[in-house]
Amino acid sequence: MSVTTGSGVTIALTAAQPATYDEAGYDTLFTTAPIPSKIGELIGGPELKRVYQLISYNLMDRKSTEKHKGSFDDGSFTLNLVYDYEDEGQLVAQEALDSPDAYSAMVTLPNGVRAFLQLKVFGFGFGAPDANQMVGATMDVQIVTTKTGVGVVVSEPA
């Protein structure tokens, strides 16, 4: 069994694009200088989840519903952060908010599993709910599929 906790999850983000949208291309992008910035002060990580559209119809002779998969959406997620206006990763995320372009991201789990993806930032804001909490930030992300049809690429640990 290869389970892991969420403690130690990191996300790195860059405006640069890999040479190829596969494990080798992303690995080169995230391990060659300049190394992309990790988003600091992460307190709530992403859920990567592809969802297919349901196509269904009812058969009159069997009274049953036939179900098929249609197009898919690689999903969205919200990151929860402690706001740090000097954090390089949060600055890149705010830059991505104002850009129409997709950014490259790498999510790394504590057990070494890495997920590479293209994303667009649709929201980034911060606020303080009360005097006894840190100023928090949220980042609203949409995962986008490349023009070649590649979505999330998962790399198993070596």
Side-chain angles (χ1 to χ4, degrees), residues 13-96:
L13 187 63
T14 180
Q17 296 298 305
T20 57
Y21 294 97
D22 57 13
E23 184 178 347
Y26 278 115
D27 188 61
T28 300
L29 177 65
F30 283 95
T31 58
T32 305
I35 303 295
S37 301
K38 288 182 183 172
I39 299 173
E41 306 301 324
L42 181 66
I43 56 175
E47 178 182 21
L48 305 179
K49 177 176 144 183
R50 176 175 280 182
V51 177
Y52 287 85
Q53 293 293 315
L54 170 66
I55 299 172
S56 65
Y57 55 92
N58 295 318
L59 298 171
M60 294 177 71
D61 65 338
R62 289 185 287 192
K63 297 183 183 180
S64 64
T65 301
E66 288 288 319
K67 297 179 181 181
H68 300 273
K69 289 181 177 180
S71 61
F72 64 84
D73 183 339
D74 278 320
S76 64
F77 57 86
T78 298
L79 294 181
N80 295 306
L81 313 162
V82 173
Y83 183 61
D84 181 350
Y85 67 91
E86 294 179 338
D87 179 77
E88 288 295 322
Q90 289 189 29
L91 292 172
V92 172
Q94 290 177 52
E95 174 188 291

